[in-house]
Amino acid sequence: MSGVLKFISGGLSTLFGFALMATFGIGGLYWLWMAIQFGSFWMFVLGVFPLTAMLCAPIGMWSLLFGVPHWILNLFVL
């Protein structure tokens, strides 16, 4: 029985890892696309710089799924 649980937990952790990589990949690309669409140079720079890209990618995924937060628009566009 413990072998089955190890197999299931291993599979779930692998799926979680792939989902996390996809979130960072797709979210990061969407962040850069938003920067180009908004014409925001600093938003683009933050999306390309490695340290801040790790923060921008989840926000980009959130924006893709639920819409751009108002604080992003206020910070970079308006």
Side-chain angles (χ1 to χ4, degrees):
M1 188 66 161
S2 68
V4 173
L5 292 176
K6 285 182 183 179
F7 179 75
I8 291 173
S9 66
L12 289 177
S13 64
T14 302
L15 286 176
F16 179 74
F18 283 134
L20 191 64
M21 287 190 300
T23 296
F24 277 95
I26 295 169
L29 289 174
Y30 190 72
W31 177 272
L32 295 176
W33 182 84
M34 285 191 308
I36 292 169
Q37 294 298 313
F38 296 153
S40 176
F41 172 75
W42 290 111
M43 187 175 176
F44 188 83
V45 168
L46 288 175
V48 173
F49 189 65
L51 293 176
T52 55
M54 298 304 281
L55 297 172
C56 295
I59 299 170
M61 186 55 119
W62 177 272
S63 299
L64 179 65
L65 295 174
F66 303 110
V68 181
H70 292 290
W71 64 271
I72 293 288
L73 296 174
N74 290 335
L75 190 63
F76 293 109
V77 179
L78 301 177

